[in-house]
Amino acid sequence: MGPAITANILVFFLLYFFTNVAGLPAGLAGSILAIGKIGDAINDPIAGILSDRTRTRWGRRIPWMLFGAIPFGIFFFLQWIVPHFSDDPGTNNWYLFAYYVVIAILFNLAYTAVNLPYTALTPELTQDYNERTTLNSFRFAFSIGGSILSLILATVIFAAYPDNPKQQYLVLGGVSTLLSIIAILWCTFRIQERGASPLLSQQGKKIFGFILAAVGALGLVYGVSQILSALENEQASVLGLVTILLGLQCIGFGLTLILAKTESHLSSHEAIAARNNANSIPSIPLKEQLKIAFANKAFLYVIGIYLCSWLGVQLTASILIYYVVSWMGMEEAAFPTVAIAVQGTALIMLFFWKFVSEKVGKKIVYYLGMFVWIIAQAALFLIQPGQISLLYTGAIMAGFGVSVAYLIPWSMIPDVIELDELNTGQRREGVFYSFMVLLQKLGLALALFLVGQALEWSGFIERLPGEPIPVQPESALMAIRIAIAPLPTVFLIIGLILTYYYPITKEVHANIRWQLQERKNKQVS
């Protein structure tokens, strides 16, 4: 939930914030996003290899999440400040460009330090083919839930500060920072890696849990009192709502620590022995790891499927607010409801697709979701200003496919890791997850850069601070429509083709698991 809140706000609002609040030209704004993504892509394999090689009593992943949480929040917040460097607009723009590039690089470094080790935990928690899909369903339910929460917060905060865009995004950034940090620490203190020690003992969890629950209860009472005593004061209502959310989060955090029990499959002699054995295996040099990873045919297909799916998601998300405001002629405050229609449908469909996946397999589910999504995506090009009901219908249909883009590629990658373990005798979750995300981010960086440049080449007019939203020329409107419909549709179709050739079916995975178990049995005997 923590990274999802921040990532969702960034992908939906950051490009728009740069052009329509900070007043940067679209080309510079797109370049900031591209540079940040390239830096992020470079970080991923380094962090993946380092986390694979990390040896602590708490495991390989948890320490990264623990120490990365606070920097993650700080650098996220700093992205929503608009500093003033010079009275000359041109000079000020270049200083702003440098500021946002530095902050983007630092934030993406912190994001990688938190999120990459977290995603690499998945195959360590369960080895069952269907249970991994179930696990990812719950994981992405909170991910999409966090995304929806961020959009609801944006709606409330934007309404509370209707004539002050800088204040809108500053408050949204601050609130999201607090919610994200607490969510990351909640996961970090509650999760235990297989065969490793938890961060807190059972007694420590209970003490810390009671403290958190008490703080949360106080926050809840304060928030309710704020709302009841100042129903007419929108700013006070925002403060009350935020305090209630933080209070509920702390209460939930505290209760899960108080009620925590030792999970035998994570602390058994077998789990400890497996961890010690994994730690004793010497690390393979980076060049050799690259060779092995990219020699894995199934891995290459998953990379392609993931890249195409997320290019469809994030290209649409980045340009959607421009489409809603400039093409459809809707108010800025109406945009979050359109995004909620997509994310809300995705959340509902996530568990439906999980159920269907257990019956027919991951590939069929991907086909079904993508087919509905492609129809919705292509229709966006044909929808005309004023056809609001059609826009919401398309948004709901797109949610069918977005949920599949969340669920299926991430439930495929643990199967690929086990195929690699069968071939090499080592588990290198960090390497596979990091290189999967690296190529996705490089592709996304190029796409965001091209979108920014295309907007500028098409004559897009950025909004100057304090000015109303400008009317865009026909060339800019056409660029927006192409970026939101035909371009993502092409990537989704390529993803379908790659899925057809993906080699690990349910039966193939069962055979991989059987061979791995036979090997372990021989080692024990």
Side-chain angles (χ1 to χ4, degrees), residues 325-369:
V325 174
S326 297
W327 173 249
M328 296 299 295
M330 299 168 67
E331 296 291 330
E332 285 177 296
F335 164 71
T337 60
V338 178
I340 288 171
V342 179
Q343 299 280 16
T345 305
L347 178 60
I348 294 168
M349 292 302 299
L350 202 60
F351 291 95
F352 170 77
W353 290 131
K354 189 268 302 183
F355 173 78
V356 175
S357 174
E358 292 177 357
K359 303 297 181 183
V360 301
K362 298 170 185 176
K363 292 174 71 169
I364 299 298
V365 166
Y366 192 84
Y367 295 149
L368 294 172

Side-chain angles (χ1 to χ4, degrees), residues 169-251:
Y169 285 98
L170 194 64
V171 173
L172 180 61
V175 172
S176 301
T177 294
L178 293 174
L179 290 170
S180 297
I181 290 175
I182 293 173
I184 292 166
L185 293 177
W186 182 350
C187 177
T188 302
F189 280 99
R190 181 58 187 87
I191 290 290
Q192 176 186 347
E193 291 189 39
R194 188 166 182 260
S197 301
L199 284 174
L200 296 173
S201 64
Q202 288 297 104
Q203 184 179 7
K205 287 179 182 176
K206 285 182 167 49
I207 294 171
F208 190 32
F210 279 116
I211 293 171
L212 283 168
V215 171
L218 290 174
L220 192 61
V221 171
Y222 177 79
V224 171
S225 67
Q226 283 288 309
I227 290 178
L228 292 177
S229 64
L231 289 175
E232 299 302 321
N233 187 331
E234 290 183 337
Q235 187 172 356
S237 297
V238 170
L239 176 62
L241 174 64
V242 169
T243 311
I244 288 172
L245 285 175
L246 294 172
L248 289 172
Q249 205 176 18
C250 287
I251 290 172

Side-chain angles (χ1 to χ4, degrees), residues 311-317 319-320 323 327 373-383 391 398 451 477-493:
L311 278 172
V313 170
Q314 298 204 31
L315 279 175
T316 305
I319 206 75
L320 184 60
Y323 181 84
W327 173 249
W373 191 6
I374 286 170
I375 294 173
Q377 202 74 29
L380 289 175
F381 188 79
L382 303 175
I383 294 174
L391 174 63
V451 166
L477 294 176
M478 179 57 71
I480 291 170
R481 293 171 67 200
I482 291 173
I484 202 170
L487 190 58
T489 302
V490 170
F491 289 118
L492 298 182
I493 292 172

Side-chain angles (χ1 to χ4, degrees), residues 18-287:
F18 286 153
T19 60
N20 284 36
V21 180
L24 289 172
L28 281 182
S31 298
I32 294 169
L33 297 181
I35 293 169
K37 286 296 178 186
I38 291 171
D40 195 12
I42 294 170
N43 295 335
D44 283 331
I46 297 172
I49 292 166
L50 290 177
S51 70
D52 277 349
R53 295 180 178 181
T54 298
R55 302 289 184 266
T56 73
R57 57 179 297 197
W58 304 293
R60 298 184 290 177
R61 321 295 180 189
I62 295 295
W64 285 80
M65 298 166 62
L66 176 64
F67 294 110
I70 302 299
F72 171 92
I74 292 172
F75 291 123
F76 174 77
F77 176 71
L78 291 177
Q79 292 178 103
W80 305 103
I81 295 174
V82 186
H84 180 76
F85 294 104
S86 172
D87 291 331
D88 177 63
T91 303
N92 192 63
N93 281 346
W94 281 108
Y95 275 117
L96 283 175
F97 174 78
Y99 169 80
Y100 288 125
V101 164
V102 171
I103 296 300
I105 291 171
L106 292 174
F107 168 73
N108 283 311
L109 183 63
Y111 183 92
T112 298
V114 169
N115 203 53
L116 184 65
Y118 165 71
T119 58
L121 284 170
T122 304
E124 297 187 23
L125 298 180
T126 178
Q127 298 178 333
D128 181 79
Y129 180 87
N130 287 330
E131 195 172 32
R132 282 176 175 167
T133 307
T134 303
L135 179 65
N136 276 296
S137 296
F138 279 94
R139 171 188 161 194
F140 286 118
F142 277 87
S143 178
I144 298 175
S147 300
I148 293 171
L149 174 61
S150 71
L151 294 169
I152 293 173
L153 285 171
T155 304
V156 173
I157 292 168
F158 289 178
Y161 306 96
D163 301 318
N164 193 339
K166 288 185 180 180
Q167 189 74 6
Q168 289 175 346
Y169 285 98
L170 194 64
V171 173
L172 180 61
V175 172
S176 301
T177 294
L178 293 174
L179 290 170
S180 297
I181 290 175
I182 293 173
I184 292 166
L185 293 177
W186 182 350
C187 177
T188 302
F189 280 99
R190 181 58 187 87
I191 290 290
Q192 176 186 347
E193 291 189 39
R194 188 166 182 260
S197 301
L199 284 174
L200 296 173
S201 64
Q202 288 297 104
Q203 184 179 7
K205 287 179 182 176
K206 285 182 167 49
I207 294 171
F208 190 32
F210 279 116
I211 293 171
L212 283 168
V215 171
L218 290 174
L220 192 61
V221 171
Y222 177 79
V224 171
S225 67
Q226 283 288 309
I227 290 178
L228 292 177
S229 64
L231 289 175
E232 299 302 321
N233 187 331
E234 290 183 337
Q235 187 172 356
S237 297
V238 170
L239 176 62
L241 174 64
V242 169
T243 311
I244 288 172
L245 285 175
L246 294 172
L248 289 172
Q249 205 176 18
C250 287
I251 290 172
F253 189 173
L255 288 176
T256 55
L257 290 179
I258 294 168
L259 302 175
K261 296 180 180 179
T262 302
E263 298 178 71
S264 58
H265 71 101
L266 298 177
S267 305
S268 64
H269 292 298
E270 181 184 353
I272 294 171
R275 173 174 174 263
N276 292 335
N277 181 59
N279 289 344
S280 65
I281 296 174
S283 298
I284 297 176
L286 174 59
K287 185 177 179 180

Side-chain angles (χ1 to χ4, degrees), residues 474-508:
E474 287 296 323
S475 56
L477 294 176
M478 179 57 71
I480 291 170
R481 293 171 67 200
I482 291 173
I484 202 170
L487 190 58
T489 302
V490 170
F491 289 118
L492 298 182
I493 292 172
I494 295 172
L496 277 176
I497 296 170
L498 293 173
T499 303
Y500 178 79
Y501 290 102
Y502 176 67
I504 302 181
T505 62
K506 192 171 184 178
E507 293 73 24
V508 171

